[in-house]
Amino acid sequence: MIHAICEKGDVINTSFLEKSCPIETQRKLSDYIMDVMKINRDDCSIGETEHPFTTEFNKHDVRITTHYYENMVASSMYSVIHEGGHAIYELNTGDDLIGTTMAGGASMGIHESQSRFYENIIGKSEGFWQYIYEPLVEILPQLKAYTPRDLFASVNYAQPSLLRLEADELTYLLHIIIRYELEKDIISGSLNIDTLAEAWSEKYEAYLGIRPQNDAEGVLQDIHWAAGYVGYFPSYFIANITAAQLAAAMNEQIGDMHTLMADGAFDEIHAWLSQRIYRYGSLYSSRELIENACGRPLSSDDYMDYLRNKFSEVYRLH
């Protein structure tokens, strides 16, 4: 798919991603996005920080954060949608679990699946851009130069890149696969730490066709290994697969996701997820939650179909 995009895909206009926007306007945009997502503002606040995160004290005190860049309006917008996904999970934990060790997400893989679901499957869908377009133009008049289709394509621009945090949805999991394979080799002893930087660069060249010029854009770009988060990277992988499988189940049970998004049916989507995932907190394992919600075990099939269908549409590869 990546090769097909590079060779024969449409040229995507990405100028929207680089538009300058005053910070105060972006704060208004964040408030609008939280309202669109039907996040209860009485129980969830938003603040600013260097690196966006979500924290919660209980389901009635959840706090999300974002970081604003004047020339990267989409960055703050999608961090709000991403962290908002985490918040929606916590805000809809069952009341009977408050104050127990069962409150909160079942695992990081499940928690990240909610942030990736809202960020990518919802926030980067064409239906979502159709729904928010007119109110968004009121906040950001410069967007009148674009159609909803233009903006949809722009935020789904795909191209191999060196930094995981800035990677597009299509190439993102290759970044995770590289780290997972290197991590296994380190643990098994087949890879020496002294040669890790070179092994990293070789895998980037083999898998993505690009090579880091220095360790800052190579092996030192993540904090995980240095912080001791060994084995954490696969949670991002599991999250994306889980999000796509949940979306496929929704398509079967409550309607086409594109139509739901074009109608702004967040209440319906929240209700479906709350009934099957959120209210149970940590009562069930991740595996049990997914099987109960979707009626089948976790599989990569829905995610592969999702990527093929979406990026064939974005780049008109049909």
Side-chain angles (χ1 to χ4, degrees):
M1 178 69 77
I2 294 168
H3 290 310
I5 285 172
C6 293
E7 292 168 7
K8 54 186 179 182
D10 275 7
V11 175
I12 302 296
N13 178 0
T14 61
S15 58
F16 154 66
L17 302 177
E18 300 154 4
K19 287 286 185 183
S20 178
C21 181
I23 302 302
E24 189 54 42
T25 301
Q26 292 190 50
R27 292 190 181 109
K28 293 178 182 177
L29 175 59
S30 294
D31 290 339
Y32 168 68
I33 291 297
M34 290 181 71
D35 290 340
V36 164
M37 294 177 71
K38 304 294 180 70
I39 294 174
N40 185 342
R41 301 294 294 280
D42 291 332
D43 296 333
C44 183
S45 60
I46 183 170
E48 297 172 34
T49 189
E50 182 61 29
H51 186 90
F53 67 93
T54 298
T55 191
E56 74 289 330
F57 298 94
N58 58 61
K59 67 175 292 182
H60 298 296
D61 187 358
V62 181
R63 308 176 189 191
I64 71 172
T65 61
T66 190
H67 189 146
Y68 297 109
Y69 302 92
E70 193 163 324
N71 62 339
M72 295 174 63
V73 62
S75 177
S76 62
M77 175 179 171
Y78 279 100
S79 75
V80 172
I81 298 175
H82 179 102
E83 302 305 334
H86 283 303
I88 289 167
Y89 193 166
E90 296 296 333
L91 290 166
N92 288 282
T93 300
D95 290 338
D96 55 326
L97 301 181
I98 294 177
T100 75
T101 57
M102 294 294 99
S107 70
M108 285 311 302
I110 294 294
H111 228 305
E112 291 290 350
S113 76
Q114 297 313 293
S115 59
R116 299 297 279 182
F117 173 83
Y118 281 98
E119 176 187 1
N120 291 327
I121 292 176
I122 286 185
K124 293 182 180 177
S125 69
E126 188 166 8
F128 179 74
W129 279 99
Q130 290 174 355
Y131 179 69
I132 69 170
Y133 180 72
E134 291 188 9
L136 202 62
V137 167
E138 294 295 317
I139 300 170
L140 303 171
Q142 63 265 44
L143 295 189
K144 289 180 181 178
Y146 306 91
T147 66
R149 162 75 200 190
D150 293 335
L151 298 172
F152 159 68
S154 180
V155 299
N156 285 292
Y157 175 72
Q159 180 176 327
S161 60
L162 290 167
L163 301 181
R164 177 185 64 87
L165 286 176
E166 301 300 330
D168 61 81
E169 193 179 3
L170 183 62
T171 63
Y172 182 84
L173 288 196
L174 290 174
H175 292 261
I176 302 303
I177 290 170
I178 288 170
R179 288 155 175 76
Y180 173 62
E181 292 182 351
L182 290 171
E183 193 170 62
K184 283 203 303 180
D185 290 342
I186 293 169
I187 292 169
S188 71
S190 62
L191 177 62
N192 190 299
I193 293 293
D194 292 339
T195 61
L196 177 57
E198 179 60 22
W200 177 291
S201 297
E202 288 177 358
K203 280 191 179 287
Y204 263 79
E205 190 161 21
Y207 289 17
L208 287 160
I210 51 180
R211 191 177 184 89
Q213 297 301 304
N214 55 65
D215 289 344
E217 60 185 23
V219 70
L220 295 182
Q221 66 178 268
D222 294 307
I223 68 166
H224 298 62
W225 291 335
Y229 302 153
V230 177
Y232 190 96
F233 283 116
S235 68
Y236 299 126
F237 198 113
I238 292 168
N240 284 280
I241 292 171
T242 299
Q245 188 159 321
L246 289 170
M250 283 188 208
N251 281 330
E252 296 166 2
Q253 297 177 28
I254 62 174
D256 174 67
M257 187 62 63
H258 174 80
T259 303
L260 289 171
M261 280 293 78
D263 293 339
F266 279 95
D267 284 336
E268 196 169 351
I269 291 168
H270 290 349
W272 192 94
L273 288 166
S274 295
Q275 183 68 22
R276 291 159 179 80
I277 303 290
Y278 302 156
R279 69 186 179 117
Y280 293 114
S282 302
L283 287 174
Y284 296 102
S285 70
S286 302
R287 188 187 302 264
E288 290 171 323
L289 276 175
I290 297 308
E291 290 192 19
N292 291 342
C294 302
R296 56 186 183 274
L298 184 64
S299 164
S300 62
D301 292 345
D302 290 318
Y303 188 61
M304 297 298 287
D305 289 342
Y306 162 74
L307 290 178
R308 290 190 189 100
N309 293 334
K310 180 175 189 175
F311 285 92
S312 291
E313 176 64 25
V314 169
Y315 280 91
R316 303 187 191 277
L317 297 176
H318 300 292

